[in-house]
Amino acid sequence: FCDVPVECVITSQDAASIYEVPLKLEREGLAHQALEALQLEQRPPNLSQWSTLVERLYNPTRKVEIAIVGKYVRLNDAYLSVVEALRHAAISLDAELKLRWINSEDIQDHGAERYLKGVNGIVVPGGFGIRGVDGKIAAIQHARDHQIPFLGLCLGMQCSVIEWARHVAKLEGANSSEFDAEAANPVINLLPEQQDVVDLGGTMRLGLYPCRLAPNTLAFNLYGEEVVYERHRHRYEFNNAYRSLFVETGYVISGTSPDGRLVEIVELPDHPFFIASQFHPEFQSRPSDPHPLFR
């Protein structure tokens, strides 16, 4: 592993040089030769959408700085899909993306204000294990208290649930049973049918699952659809024993499995942008079609 600087700038020129490759290959006739070799019909390509994408990269109209608070920042390829999804969103909004990489363990040691001051948004991505979790929770509390746009992904959603349980719902000993098997209030827990499974792979929820969105919520407004399909890779779930308490204290559960049993998306209504998903939306983002949660 190599050290990564605290701040990493993806300039419009850097990104454009990557996305300009298809245009250069077309100008050099690669597609024509490939079609000829495969004995396929020759037809002119429509690269207008891609050309527009590259043009936006070369001429951004503003800058946006996003903090990624994670435990694997020394190897930032661990979050490559998240970075690319942010880049896709920035392209669509004519923005130059600046990333601020923050080790969640540093926040544990020195506080959130020192590392998050001045950012335009905070992303807490997925991961496994207890290391750095309290730093992620502190970052989420900072985003909530200071009205900074926040996006939580998988473990990021679970940390946002723990943060609310501790600081708003006032649940003593609130935690995930992944981190504390004896937690007084396991707001994140295994499902009952998972409890006796010994093989960890057997307890994971993997692959594409449907999510039903509640009307008049941020999630519904962003997607513009009632049911969406998203990819999962996780083991622990929101503990439904606490659902009523969360709703009563102001939390909004805006996405669930179609039967309403599994919590998929949570959000806060009195906040500029605070939303977190149990699934991984970054896996479905594309350069010409950024994922709505990232956009």
Side-chain angles (χ1 to χ4, degrees):
F1 300 109
C2 60
D3 286 333
V4 174
V6 172
E7 294 189 1
C8 169
V9 180
I10 300 175
T11 67
S12 56
Q13 288 75 22
D14 292 338
S17 65
I18 298 169
Y19 287 100
E20 198 175 15
V21 169
L23 300 177
K24 290 181 176 179
L25 292 175
E26 173 58 31
R27 287 195 294 269
E28 292 170 5
L30 177 64
H32 174 79
Q33 293 188 37
L35 290 172
E36 190 174 74
L38 295 169
Q39 298 182 351
L40 296 175
E41 176 190 355
Q42 294 285 346
R43 58 188 186 276
N46 182 1
L47 294 176
S48 58
Q49 187 180 38
W50 202 265
S51 297
T52 300
L53 182 152
V54 173
E55 174 64 24
R56 286 175 175 171
L57 279 164
Y58 273 121
N59 300 289
T61 57
R62 60 197 179 97
K63 293 183 180 180
V64 60
E65 184 173 17
I66 303 297
I68 297 181
V69 180
K71 60 174 75 177
Y72 313 125
V73 294
R74 286 183 178 274
L75 181 67
N76 49 355
D77 269 8
Y79 301 118
L80 184 59
S81 295
V82 175
V83 171
E84 288 301 309
L86 287 168
R87 186 185 295 179
H88 303 161
I91 292 169
S92 71
L93 299 171
D94 295 328
E96 181 176 315
L97 176 63
K98 181 178 182 180
L99 295 179
R100 187 185 297 186
W101 292 96
I102 301 172
N103 190 321
S104 56
E105 291 178 279
D106 290 339
I107 291 181
Q108 283 182 195
D109 295 337
H110 305 291
E113 178 69 23
R114 175 174 175 177
Y115 296 97
L116 295 171
K117 186 175 182 179
V119 298
N120 302 118
I122 299 169
V123 176
V124 175
F128 292 91
I130 193 171
R131 181 172 63 85
V133 163
D134 284 341
K136 291 189 174 192
I137 292 170
I140 294 167
Q141 182 180 14
H142 184 84
R144 182 173 60 80
D145 288 343
H146 292 81
Q147 301 283 289
I148 302 171
F150 165 75
L151 175 61
L153 310 171
C154 198
L155 179 60
M157 188 206 93
Q158 296 177 1
C159 288
S160 72
V161 170
I162 297 169
E163 190 279 322
W164 184 271
R166 291 178 180 178
H167 303 128
V168 181
K170 304 299 182 182
L171 289 172
E172 292 287 337
N175 213 334
S176 166
S177 58
E178 177 185 5
F179 312 137
D180 181 1
E182 305 300 324
N185 286 291
V187 290
I188 301 294
N189 202 1
L190 291 173
L191 295 175
E193 62 267 27
Q194 296 173 309
Q195 300 287 348
D196 297 324
V197 179
V198 176
D199 181 7
L200 290 179
T203 64
M204 291 198 76
R205 188 148 67 102
L206 293 167
L208 201 69
Y209 286 83
C211 171
R212 184 176 299 279
L213 305 177
N216 303 315
T217 60
L218 175 61
F220 186 89
N221 292 338
L222 293 173
Y223 279 99
E225 299 180 59
E226 185 178 345
V227 177
V228 297
Y229 289 81
E230 295 283 3
R231 290 169 60 183
H232 296 66
R233 189 177 185 274
H234 65 97
R235 185 171 296 117
Y236 291 80
E237 306 278 356
F238 182 97
N239 189 340
N240 284 318
Y242 298 90
R243 189 184 288 204
S244 295
L245 175 62
F246 270 70
V247 172
E248 289 167 6
T249 54
Y251 224 53
V252 173
I253 296 172
S254 55
T256 65
S257 56
D259 62 4
R261 183 162 171 259
L262 301 174
V263 172
E264 295 278 22
I265 306 176
V266 297
E267 61 184 66
L268 298 181
D270 299 323
H271 193 283
F273 187 95
F274 189 109
I275 193 165
S277 67
Q278 183 59 80
F279 49 80
H280 289 270
E282 66 270 23
F283 292 157
Q284 298 207 73
S285 187
R286 299 293 180 268
S288 57
D289 186 21
H291 193 283
L293 297 188
F294 284 88
R295 188 174 62 239

